Amino acid sequence: MRIIQLMLVFMLCGAGAAMAQANKQTLATAKIKVPTVQCNMCKDRIQRYFLKEEGVKSMVVDVKKKEATVKYYTDRTNIENIKTSIANAGYDADDVTANEDSYNALPKCCKKPEDGGGPVKKN
């Protein structure tokens, strides 16, 4: 009887260790070029959009460098999904162009200079 109990304990410990390995999450960091980011409003829009995105731990947009640094869990999402989400917010992301409807809904200051947008110039 003791041998059966001991074997049962070892099996449970082994199953617990296997489950702990399966739940181990890998955090990755990527930099994405966002050339259509014009102002802090653009930055805030993208960062706010990713607060609710599954698998994204953080998103930081640098307006001057026109670059987004994203930390994400590789078991929940991937870089292509993140780029597509940025495009769905209305901004270009590396090789993924912005969703046209989302881009048209952006405020004027967040649009490309060739479309009459860009930051408001102070006199």
Side-chain angles (χ1 to χ4, degrees):
M1 185 68 168
R2 265 195 181 164
I3 294 175
I4 294 174
Q5 288 176 342
L6 190 59
M7 288 179 67
L8 184 60
V9 167
F10 282 128
M11 285 178 25
L12 289 174
C13 288
M19 289 177 72
Q21 289 294 327
N23 287 335
K24 195 172 190 178
Q25 300 170 341
T26 304
L27 190 64
T29 302
K31 293 192 182 285
I32 301 169
K33 292 290 180 193
V34 283
T36 55
V37 168
Q38 304 293 322
C39 60
N40 282 329
M41 190 181 292
C42 299
K43 171 186 171 178
D44 293 341
R45 281 177 172 277
I46 293 173
Q47 290 178 173
R48 215 173 333 122
Y49 186 87
F50 277 93
L51 287 176
K52 61 184 178 218
E53 192 69 23
E54 174 69 26
V56 175
K57 182 176 181 185
S58 68
M59 169 72 75
V60 178
V61 178
D62 187 328
V63 177
K64 289 183 180 181
K65 291 182 181 178
K66 295 190 179 278
E67 184 176 79
T69 304
V70 61
K71 290 184 182 184
Y72 64 98
Y73 295 105
T74 57
D75 61 330
R76 295 188 205 164
T77 191
N78 59 48
I79 195 67
E80 293 305 316
N81 286 345
I82 294 168
K83 289 179 188 179
T84 302
S85 294
I86 292 172
N88 287 339
Y91 301 93
D92 293 346
D94 281 344
D95 56 342
V96 181
T97 56
N99 175 296
E100 190 175 338
D101 292 334
S102 298
Y103 176 76
N104 290 335
L106 292 176
K108 187 175 182 178
C109 66
C110 293
K111 293 187 179 181
K112 300 174 191 174
E114 58 266 22
D115 294 335
V120 177
K121 295 180 180 166
K122 296 178 182 175
N123 293 330

